Amino acid sequence: GAGVSQSPSNKVTEKGKDVELRCDPISGHTALYWYRQSLGQGLEFLIYFQGNSAPDKSGLPSDRFSAERTGGSVSTLTIQRTQQEDSAVYLCASQRAGVSDTQYFGPGTRLTVL
Amino acid sequence: AQSVSQHNHHVILSEAASLELGCNYSYGGTVNLFWYVQYPGQHLQLLLKYFSGDPLVKGIKGFEAEFIKSKFSFNLRKPSVQWSDTAEYFCGSLASGTYKYIFGTGTRLKVLA
């Protein structure tokens, strides 16, 4: 079946603009994660959804970041008033059910803030 | 707080050489441990994972990792690497009862044919 998809694959934006990144998880997967991968850094946990609920949003770097998930499926990560330090690859991963299940990653969205 | 350290950032080996990539985690409680791999142009994928039981875990493509609790380590090994093992490898941990995965900074492996 189809894997995790993310769009856009690349996004170049100007500082101060808002961006919206989309993740389509594997059908039927109830758990969804967002990560950020900056140059020279590991995968930084941003947020976790179980269904449409995010039990902990403390991984979001600032209040300019927000995420939602609707219908237990698609998730969007929104960054308002983008800054140059937001430039990174944003990865989404889904899991079938429990947190210990295998994570299936998408291809990522490469965000460049000029 | 959890953390994961990968000491080797770049490794270059010739084909048939043996591989060991270091991974150390810091967490006093029970952890689940993982290795993920990202081949060039591909998505991150699970290589192997440890939850409990035999501390020697075997994964895909001939990889294995050993959980040594006393050393807080989960090193990845392969006896004989191939050119196709060229990739970036990420070690990760998940504290039992939580959902927050912590990953290391990754190790870029290049295998010379």
Side-chain angles (χ1 to χ4, degrees):
Chain A
V4 177
S5 61
Q6 292 185 246
S7 60
S9 54
N10 278 286
K11 177 71 177 178
V12 180
T13 190
E14 293 180 347
K15 178 181 172 181
K17 300 284 190 183
D18 297 351
V19 295
E20 192 171 278
L21 313 181
R22 176 185 168 110
C23 172
D24 282 88
I26 293 172
S27 178
H29 280 199
T30 61
L32 185 147
Y33 286 78
W34 282 98
Y35 294 92
R36 179 169 70 174
Q37 186 177 19
S38 306
L39 191 63
Q41 304 294 315
L43 278 70
E44 176 189 3
F45 168 87
L46 296 180
I47 193 168
Y48 159 73
F49 286 94
Q50 181 57 249
N52 293 334
S53 300
D56 183 354
K57 300 181 180 180
S58 63
L60 295 175
S62 75
D63 58 8
R64 296 185 294 104
F65 287 71
S66 63
E68 66 174 12
R69 189 177 184 196
T70 56
S73 181
V74 172
S75 177
T76 54
L77 177 69
T78 301
I79 309 173
Q80 296 178 309
R81 304 181 303 282
T82 53
Q83 303 294 312
Q84 288 184 330
E85 60 263 27
D86 299 334
S87 296
V89 175
Y90 290 83
L91 292 167
C92 173
S94 72
Q95 288 175 309
R96 186 172 55 84
V99 295
S100 57
D101 289 337
T102 298
Q103 292 198 4
Y104 294 88
F105 283 84
T109 292
R110 183 175 296 277
L111 175 66
T112 303
V113 182
L114 302 176
Chain B
Q2 288 184 82
S3 68
V4 174
S5 298
Q6 292 183 246
H7 314 295
N8 316 102
H9 300 293
H10 296 272
V11 174
I12 301 175
L13 295 172
S14 298
E15 272 195 318
S18 64
L19 170 73
E20 181 160 5
L21 301 183
C23 173
N24 287 91
Y25 67 94
S26 67
Y27 184 70
T30 302
V31 290
N32 302 317
L33 297 162
F34 310 82
W35 277 96
Y36 277 80
V37 60
Q38 187 167 27
Y39 297 104
Q42 297 187 26
H43 306 180
L44 271 161
Q45 59 184 280
L46 181 68
L47 199 54
L48 48 79
K49 59 184 177 182
Y50 170 80
F51 284 94
S52 62
D54 190 343
L56 185 62
V57 179
K58 295 193 183 297
I60 60 172
K61 303 188 180 185
F63 285 91
E64 65 179 30
E66 185 175 12
F67 170 55
I68 303 179
K69 190 174 181 179
S70 61
K71 294 184 178 181
F72 296 90
S73 69
F74 191 57
N75 293 353
L76 182 70
R77 301 194 296 245
K78 185 170 183 178
S80 176
V81 294
Q82 301 173 309
W83 176 79
S84 58
D85 294 325
T86 294
E88 189 161 18
Y89 294 80
F90 293 90
C91 181
S93 72
L94 175 69
S96 183
T98 73
Y99 47 78
K100 189 172 180 178
Y101 282 72
I102 304 297
F103 286 91
T105 53
T107 297
R108 287 184 183 269
L109 171 66
K110 182 170 184 177
V111 180
L112 304 175

